[in-house]
Amino acid sequence: MTTHSDNAVTPFGSLSAALIDQLRDLNAIRTDRVADAFRAVPRHVFAPDAPVEEVYSNQPIVTKRDERGLAISTVSAPRIQAFMLEQADIQPGMRVLEIGSGGVNAAYIAELVGEAGEVTTMDIDPFVIDRAKRFLPEAGYGQVNVVLADAEFGAPKHAPFDRVVVTVGAWDIPAAWWEQLAPGGLIVVPIRIRSLNRSVAFQLDGGHLVSQSIERAGFVAMQGAGAFGEEVVYLHDDTVALRVDDGQQANGALLAAALKQPRAESWTGVTVGDQEPFDDLDMFLATTLPGFCLLTAHDSAVVEGIVQARPWGSSALFCGGTFAYVVLRQLGPDRHEFGVYGHGTDAEGLAARVVDQINAWNSRHRNGAAPVISAYPAGTPDDQLPGSLVIDKKHTRFTVSWPCRGTRCS
Ligand SMILES: C[S@@+](CC[C@H](N)C(=O)[O-])C[C@H]1O[C@@H](n2cnc3c(N)ncnc32)[C@H](O)[C@@H]1O
């Protein structure tokens, strides 16, 4: 391990110090240990082709694109790296597996585990692994194990791990990650649940995993044996679509016909401020309503008034030939009210279900404790699962419980 003690007086040192201040302000860096790791690692060594100001700014650097131009490998944005390291709570002497490589994050982890620990970083892409093999020793972290393999099967030669830090968008938690985790260990994984991406720190608790913290985070998607796409159901040309996840079955023809029917509108009386996040509402709807999906639309379809979707997608629900989705209307200069638009044979009924859930979230869970996501191995019987809605993946059965604000749920 190298301590770049001269950083403070180099141009990189001042760029790095400014980045650390910014990450503290964003509450992404919360501990001195993570700040020290960011201070010690010369981030620019891992992205030699990018301008140094960019490397020390809070943005990802794309290192590889696929044939359609979509990013498939990046040096992740520092904010995401920092809060995931905080979520992972990595201590000196630990054995850590990083899934999805690039080098810089493995170097931060090497700083956190110190000389008594061991870091393994793995990637499916030889181009990424070649870079990591080059840059890690160059930056002073030649002790990191660098493995070229599909992470679906973990890195058995280097297991067990106290921490598995996944830096690629996953849809499931493969059995190998559980099997290679030491008792009481943590897996930090950006997981897609019903089309929503969240970085979840899961702790191994006997035969299942329980979430310790949840943060909003988007990543490039997993390739290889664990790749799992969403179904995209187009409702109007290729400009309006429902993203239907987790193998739920949607009838595209019926839903496209539904959009042609007049909409039903319901308003909730529940309001939100201009800059107030409501990720929790999306997650609440996604994990309590079967048929949850995301409505996405090009700007042109919004301008034409075909739908009123948010740029990153609006929470929606489908059932047979009906769908309904969450909208906002302006009430004052910085206040908006949640409403629901429905289309199709039971537009009013489905919209009313979503309205009821928005009210339930507002009265019992808003600004309350974070939900608890539990993951059980596939095959676990229903009666051994907490929560009512089970989200089934290939390896895992997820359930989500929402603690009520205060002492009782009414
Ligand atoms: C966001 S990048 C990793 C960022 C990196 N940890 C850093 O330090 O900034 C995601 C990486 O995951 C890799 N990846 C995708 N699917 C994978 C799989 N099944 N197994 C291992 N790596 C995978 C990609 O090749 C890509 O390099």
Side-chain angles (χ1 to χ4, degrees), residues 19 35 42 57 60 67 70 92-93 97 117 124 203 261 265 292 301 308 310 316 339 349 351 365 380 386:
L19 176 62
S57 69
E67 57 289 345
L70 294 177
L97 172 65
I124 198 169
Q203 182 152 43
Q261 295 176 36
E265 282 187 26
F292 179 92
Q308 214 199 77
R310 291 183 293 171
H365 307 290
T380 305

Side-chain angles (χ1 to χ4, degrees), residues 178 207-209 374-380 384-386 395-399:
W178 301 51
H208 67 287
L209 298 166
S374 304
Y376 288 77
T380 305
Q384 290 175 25
L385 299 174
H395 298 279
T396 317
R397 310 198 75 193
F398 288 96
T399 67

Side-chain angles (χ1 to χ4, degrees), residues 251-274:
N251 185 322
L254 284 182
L255 291 167
L259 181 58
K260 295 198 172 71
Q261 295 176 36
R263 73 180 183 219
E265 282 187 26
S266 300
W267 295 96
T268 58
V270 177
T271 66
V272 64
D274 233 0

